[in-house]
Amino acid sequence: MHILENEVLSLAFADKGAELSRVRDKELGCERLWSADPAVWNRHAPILFPFVGKVVDGQYRLKGKSYAMKTQHGFARDLDFACLEESEGSITQALCSTAATREIYPFDFRLLVRHRLDEENPRLLHIQWEVTNTGEDTMYYAIGGHPGFLPPAGVKKEDCFLAFPGKEKLRYISADPAGFALPEAVHELTLHDGAVPYGETLPETWIFEGRQVDAVQLLRPDKRPWVTLHCEKFPILAVWANAKGPFVCLEPWCGRTDDAGFTGELPEKVCEETLAPGETKRIAYTIEFHR
C-alpha cells in the first residue's frame, strides 16, 4: 500500500489495479470508502479498463475476429501497476500491455493513473487517467471509475439523497439482470431542488448518457453534502449500489456495458474511445469528501 496524507485525510492505494483502497477521515474519525467485504462486493474503487461493464456472451469482435473477455470491466483492476512517482501529495502508477493482455485485447498501450490531493482544499482528491496507444494500429477502449462511498456513521444509505446540482430532470437507462444496457427503455427522473431520495426510486443501476451530468452528490438526510464527484468531461455517469451493502457507487464512464443482444464490433460500442498510433488522451475527475 502507498499512503497519501494531509491534516484531514489519509488515503491508501494498492499496486493491484492502482486502486484507491482506503479513505480515512482523520478529522471526523470515520472511513469514507467501502471496505471491500468479499461477502458483498470485493472492491473499493476499481479502475475499469479497457472495458466498462460486460460484453455479450463474454466475446467481443474486431475486424471479423472474436476475442474472449470473460470478466466485466476489463482487466486493469486485477493487474499490478508499477509505481512511477510517489510524493507527499500525489502518486502515479502505470500499467503497460504485455503478451498476456494482447491475447485478449490486441493493442499495445500504456495507462497512467495519477491521484493527487489538492493543495488548497485538503478534502479534495484529483484523479487523472492518461492512455497512450503505443502500437501501430488504431486502438479502441473504454475507461471508467467505480468508487464505493459510505454514508455518515450511523446513517443508512436509504435515508440519504442523491443530488445533481443545477438539474431539474434527467433521463436514464438501466441494466437487465445480466448487467446489459436497455437503451430502448428510457426513464425520466424528476428532481426537487436538484435532489432525489435514494430509497425512493433507485434501481440497482442508473446510467445517465449524453453528458447530462457535470456533478453528482451523496447528501446526508438533512441534505448537506457528504460526497461530491465532479465529472464534467465524461459522457456517462452511472449510479450503482449492491442491495446487501451500505455503500453507493458514483461512476464516471467513457464507454459502457454492451446493449442487451449487441452483435456489433468493438468500434460500434457506445461512447467507445479511439486513439491513433502514438496518440495520448487524458481525462480527470475530482472527489470532495465534505466535513
Side-chain angles (χ1 to χ4, degrees):
M1 287 290 177
H2 306 272
I3 305 297
L4 296 185
E5 195 165 13
N6 58 25
E7 66 272 25
V8 174
L9 300 175
S10 178
L11 298 86
F13 302 87
D15 280 330
K16 181 179 179 180
E19 185 175 8
L20 173 62
S21 300
R22 186 181 185 189
V23 178
R24 176 70 179 171
D25 193 317
K26 298 191 290 185
E27 189 175 18
L28 299 181
C30 63
E31 301 293 335
R32 306 296 296 261
L33 204 65
W34 168 239
S35 64
D37 179 353
V40 179
W41 181 53
N42 64 340
R43 313 279 180 174
H44 306 276
I47 296 167
L48 319 180
F49 176 87
F51 290 87
V52 172
K54 295 181 178 181
V55 295
V56 172
D57 296 328
Q59 300 278 330
Y60 69 96
R61 291 152 298 281
L62 180 66
K63 298 180 180 179
K65 182 177 178 179
S66 292
Y67 295 85
M69 183 58 59
K70 299 299 183 182
T71 58
Q72 67 175 348
H73 299 318
F75 49 72
R77 61 183 187 163
D78 294 317
L79 297 182
D80 286 335
F81 283 61
C83 183
L84 300 186
E85 177 271 336
E86 184 176 3
S87 65
E88 183 178 345
S90 71
I91 180 171
T92 302
Q93 294 160 287
L95 179 70
C96 294
S97 54
T98 65
T101 65
R102 285 189 289 271
E103 286 292 320
I104 56 174
Y105 180 67
F107 301 106
D108 288 306
F109 67 86
R110 181 178 68 246
L111 169 61
L112 297 184
V113 176
R114 188 183 188 212
H115 291 89
R116 176 176 63 86
L117 286 167
D118 193 84
E119 295 177 358
E120 296 182 359
N121 180 353
R123 292 188 165 275
L124 186 64
L125 177 65
H126 298 262
I127 302 98
Q128 179 182 273
W129 303 319
E130 177 182 298
V131 184
T132 300
N133 179 356
T134 59
E136 299 179 353
D137 298 315
T138 300
M139 175 179 162
Y140 302 95
Y141 71 96
I143 192 165
H146 201 317
F149 300 108
L150 293 173
V155 175
K156 296 180 180 179
K157 67 183 181 184
E158 290 81 6
D159 295 327
C160 293
F161 289 79
L162 290 171
F164 303 86
K167 305 296 182 179
E168 296 181 358
K169 292 184 183 294
L170 293 169
R171 301 177 311 281
Y172 71 91
I173 63 174
S174 54
D176 66 16
F180 298 110
L182 300 170
E184 297 84 7
V186 180
H187 309 276
E188 189 172 87
L189 181 66
T190 300
L191 307 170
H192 302 282
D193 296 323
V196 62
Y198 170 89
E200 185 174 286
T201 57
L202 186 69
E204 185 172 271
T205 305
W206 274 344
I207 302 172
F208 300 95
E209 297 185 323
R211 300 187 183 274
Q212 296 180 76
V213 177
D214 296 327
V216 58
Q217 295 178 309
L218 180 64
L219 306 183
R220 300 169 173 90
D222 63 5
K223 293 191 176 181
R224 289 184 297 138
W226 180 243
V227 174
T228 298
L229 188 146
H230 285 279
C231 54
E232 59 271 11
K233 301 296 185 182
F234 287 79
I236 299 173
L237 183 280
V239 179
W240 174 80
N242 186 308
K244 298 185 292 182
F247 58 89
V248 177
C249 291
L250 308 177
E251 308 181 32
W253 290 352
C254 293
R256 65 157 169 78
T257 190
D258 277 355
D259 292 343
F262 178 69
T263 59
E265 292 214 343
L266 188 58
E268 300 174 274
K269 284 170 60 66
V270 172
C271 292
E272 194 74 3
E273 294 288 321
T274 304
L275 284 173
E279 186 181 6
T280 295
K281 284 186 180 179
R282 299 175 184 88
I283 194 164
Y285 69 101
T286 63
I287 303 170
E288 184 170 3
F289 298 93
H290 299 278
R291 191 184 187 284

